[in-house]
Amino acid sequence: MTTTAPRTADAGLREGVMSGPELAAQAIASIAPSAVIAFTAASIYLGAGNGTVFAFLLATIVILCVGYIVSMFARQHASAGSLYTYVAKGLGPTGAFAAGVALLIGSWGIAAGSLGGAISYTSDLLGIFGVPASGTVWLVVLAVVIGGLATFFTIRGIRISARVSLVLELVSVAIILVLLVAALVWLGPEAWDPGQFSFEGVPFQGVAAGMVLGILGFVGFSSADALGREARNPHTAIPRAIMWSAVAVGVLYVFAAYTQIAVLGDELGEVASPLQAIDERIGMPAWFAPLLVFGVAASFFAVVVAPLNVVGRIVYVMGKEGVVPERFGRTHATHLTPHRVLLVAGPAAIALDVVLIVAGTHPMDIVVWVDTYATYGYMVAYALVAVAGIAYTRRNGMRSGAITIAAVVAVLAMAYVFFANVWPVPAFPINILPYLFAATMLIAFLRFWWLRAKRPEVLQRIGNTHTDMLEGVG
């Protein structure tokens, strides 16, 4: 005879406190457009040349296809489980578990990788003011302080973390827009560059490869869907936040790429920091350079905070359902945040960066390596939710034509992104990251197979935890 252990009361997540702008802040902060603008256009230009704008346009279309499917689910189901819950509705427990683990890898990896970017640019900012903060000890201290602040904000409350992300990202984007607009004014009549809108001489292969980098610049765009309980009018507000944030960021990317090419031309693929090169080229005041560095550092910090929010809520839902230990399915009595998850995820991100820094890794290499690893997670999660969208709409007798078209575009694009990241085989350590991702997924599935053998009732609960079930017990 077995006995059931008493379940501990849970205060639940805070209900209905997130406004539309705050939801958009969560989505945009997860994308970190300022950080993407600082580097991605230059990388795309190396292969796509004047087709860089087309690469960003194609990437935006692909992301909007994914967003259309995610928004369809968000209008039907409000949950903190994000894509994990949505995929369960179309592909069942196995697909849901795969999507959940992949999204956790993506979200936590982006947070850990972006911490490296925040460390690097904060170090540069301190250097501008005469503080020699580039040594290993300084970088480790910055990792602990910046990572600790990000963890604190996520535990303290979803509103404060979203507002911090919103303010920092708005400041960052505003600084960069000031620079870009000033650059166009400086160019005068030469600001109009019709060659960027002509297909003549544009290498198709280069644009296709550039689209891969463009898509990577959007990962995390759907993170507002993890705030199903905490959002006001979630069935309406979350789809709007997802779609409009993707459109706004896509327009920003196109404008930034156009301006960088118009100002720097072929030098765009040669300079180490395009934004700083533009700053020097057009002769901005001396005080603007520190602002620019601060803006990119702020953007990186915002993208440490936002994905940690997603990690906390997905694991919280998994704890509710028994997929992970149920102690993670309870929230802080005062702050109503999944603090136990965050007290693991935040320090783990800090620890990874500290280990890599002590091993001699430059913080910006941490960004490239860890974010690449994380991207595989997002690609799998996006592909799974696309397939789940087709299965869900057909099973429920919904109109599925547009969903099917969007899903085909999304799946083919994600497959191409994956292929482009593994062939031709990149240099070490990028070449081992796909295998590290696969190994992580396999290790996670050991838990799934154990649950299927020992606790099959848990599988029946996957995907069934919605807004009205996120309080009471944990």
Side-chain angles (χ1 to χ4, degrees), residues 326-401:
E326 295 176 3
R327 63 180 176 273
F328 291 118
R330 294 193 287 273
T331 56
H332 192 281
T334 303
H335 304 313
L336 303 183
T337 53
H339 61 298
R340 297 183 179 184
V341 181
L342 297 170
L343 284 172
V344 174
I350 296 170
L352 175 62
D353 281 44
V354 167
V355 169
L356 291 173
I357 288 169
V358 171
T361 307
H362 190 281
M364 289 310 297
D365 286 333
I366 295 176
V367 177
V368 175
W369 299 351
V370 183
D371 280 10
T372 300
Y373 165 74
T375 297
Y376 291 117
Y378 277 114
M379 296 302 101
V380 169
Y382 290 161
L384 285 171
V385 79
V387 176
I390 296 175
Y392 178 82
T393 52
R394 292 185 177 180
R395 183 180 304 147
N396 289 278
M398 302 166 62
R399 292 184 178 180
S400 60

Side-chain angles (χ1 to χ4, degrees), residues 194-461:
Q196 293 195 53
F197 300 100
S198 171
F199 288 101
E200 185 177 352
V202 172
F204 173 79
Q205 183 62 34
V207 171
M211 183 190 69
V212 171
L213 295 175
I215 291 173
L216 302 188
F218 283 92
V219 294
F221 82 103
S222 67
S223 62
D225 62 6
L227 306 178
R229 176 170 179 78
E230 292 146 302
R232 298 174 197 158
N233 303 315
H235 298 287
T236 301
I238 289 176
R240 285 179 180 172
I242 291 172
M243 295 301 287
W244 281 110
S245 63
V247 170
V249 171
V251 170
L252 181 61
Y253 285 167
V254 169
F255 174 67
Y258 172 85
T259 305
Q260 290 179 68
I261 295 171
V263 176
L264 297 177
D266 290 340
E267 292 182 32
L268 178 58
E270 301 170 0
V271 296
S273 178
L275 295 181
Q276 289 172 290
I278 292 175
D279 174 60
E280 296 171 1
R281 172 73 58 89
I282 69 176
M284 293 292 284
W287 51 262
F288 189 80
L291 278 182
L292 186 60
V293 175
F294 169 78
V296 180
S299 181
F300 272 118
F301 179 78
V303 81
V304 178
V305 174
L308 285 179
N309 282 326
V310 177
V311 170
R313 280 140 188 85
I314 294 174
V315 177
Y316 174 69
V317 171
M318 287 180 167
K320 284 288 186 189
E321 297 173 346
V323 176
V324 300
E326 295 176 3
R327 63 180 176 273
F328 291 118
R330 294 193 287 273
T331 56
H332 192 281
T334 303
H335 304 313
L336 303 183
T337 53
H339 61 298
R340 297 183 179 184
V341 181
L342 297 170
L343 284 172
V344 174
I350 296 170
L352 175 62
D353 281 44
V354 167
V355 169
L356 291 173
I357 288 169
V358 171
T361 307
H362 190 281
M364 289 310 297
D365 286 333
I366 295 176
V367 177
V368 175
W369 299 351
V370 183
D371 280 10
T372 300
Y373 165 74
T375 297
Y376 291 117
Y378 277 114
M379 296 302 101
V380 169
Y382 290 161
L384 285 171
V385 79
V387 176
I390 296 175
Y392 178 82
T393 52
R394 292 185 177 180
R395 183 180 304 147
N396 289 278
M398 302 166 62
R399 292 184 178 180
S400 60
I403 291 292
T404 299
I405 293 171
V408 170
V409 172
V411 171
L412 290 177
M414 296 309 133
Y416 181 74
V417 169
F418 182 83
F419 176 78
N421 275 272
V422 298
W423 188 264
V425 178
F428 179 86
I430 302 297
N431 62 323
I432 68 170
L433 295 180
Y435 305 101
L436 180 60
F437 168 74
T440 309
M441 292 290 293
L442 179 60
I443 292 170
F445 260 90
L446 295 177
R447 170 72 175 178
F448 180 82
W449 294 324
W450 181 86
L451 288 171
R452 187 167 61 184
K454 303 295 184 181
R455 299 184 61 193
E457 73 280 1
V458 169
L459 303 189
Q460 302 304 313
R461 296 201 292 266

